[in-house]
Amino acid sequence: MTHFAITSEGSKFDNPKWLTKHERNLKIKQQQLSRKQKGSNNRNKSRKKVAKVHNKITRCREDFQHKLSRRIVNENQVICVESLVVRNMVRNCSLAKAISQVGWGQFCTMLKYKAENEGKIYLEVDRFFASSKTCNNCLYQVSDLTLDVRRWDCPSCGTHHDRDINAARNIRSEEDPKPSLHTNWLVCFTRCG
Ligand SMILES: [Zn+2]
């Protein structure tokens, strides 16, 4: 995962660096635990250490997601989330794991209730693949764009695209063909690195 979320304006939100640090720590503690003898005192101590790091990660991730969702809801009238991408990608095990690790579902839930609390619009869109493949400039559709292709050039008009930004723009223009001046659109979705 290179980014946690990305918007149609091209803003990219990274997973916070401390999260990676804690996760590395968790891996080490888990390895230590696996080497301890079953039923021993040391194993018990080691298990407590693992649980402690686990809790820390959960709390920090929730805090990060609360702050980011708050900011996104404050800055946008309409929040349009590509969430079904998770379902589409479940076939790819390592990717599905990465997505569940960053708690995408939980993040979308936060966006939804914060948006609805303020009378803003929350939408989920099921158009990831089609919108990835369509050029936002000339609407030419390429026949195939595999997940590993992060950047591509439109064969028709020659525009150079970042896959995710192009998809986000397409989703925005489909949902709101004549965007009003006062409506900010946000599309965010998971991205695999
Ligand atoms: Zn084009």
Side-chain angles (χ1 to χ4, degrees), residues 1 9-10 13 42-43 45 52 60 63 85 97 113-114 138 149 180 185 193:
M1 299 293 278
E9 303 302 311
F13 299 101
N42 278 341
R43 188 181 172 88
K45 270 186 223 162
K52 209 171 154 189
C60 288
D63 182 61
V85 62
K97 192 173 161 231
Y113 78 68
K114 286 185 174 129
C138 72
V149 181
S180 85
W185 274 83

Side-chain angles (χ1 to χ4, degrees), residues 135 137-140 154 156-159 161:
C135 169
N137 187 43
C138 72
L139 302 182
Y140 180 86
C154 173
S156 171
C157 73
T159 307
H161 292 297

Side-chain angles (χ1 to χ4, degrees), residues 77-136:
Q77 281 300 314
V78 181
I79 294 114
C80 179
V81 174
E82 175 54 79
S83 65
L84 296 183
V85 62
V86 177
R87 227 174 291 165
N88 287 333
M89 284 175 179
V90 155
R91 270 167 293 157
N92 181 335
C93 291
S94 62
L95 189 55
K97 192 173 161 231
I99 290 168
S100 70
Q101 273 173 352
V102 297
W104 185 249
Q106 180 180 277
F107 180 65
C108 290
T109 307
M110 289 181 185
L111 280 176
K112 187 174 194 291
Y113 78 68
K114 286 185 174 129
E116 287 174 352
N117 261 347
E118 302 200 3
K120 294 180 171 182
I121 300 164
Y122 172 90
L123 292 169
E124 290 181 356
V125 193
D126 180 19
R127 279 179 221 139
F128 182 74
F129 290 105
S131 42
S132 302
K133 288 190 289 189
T134 305
C135 169
N136 178 251

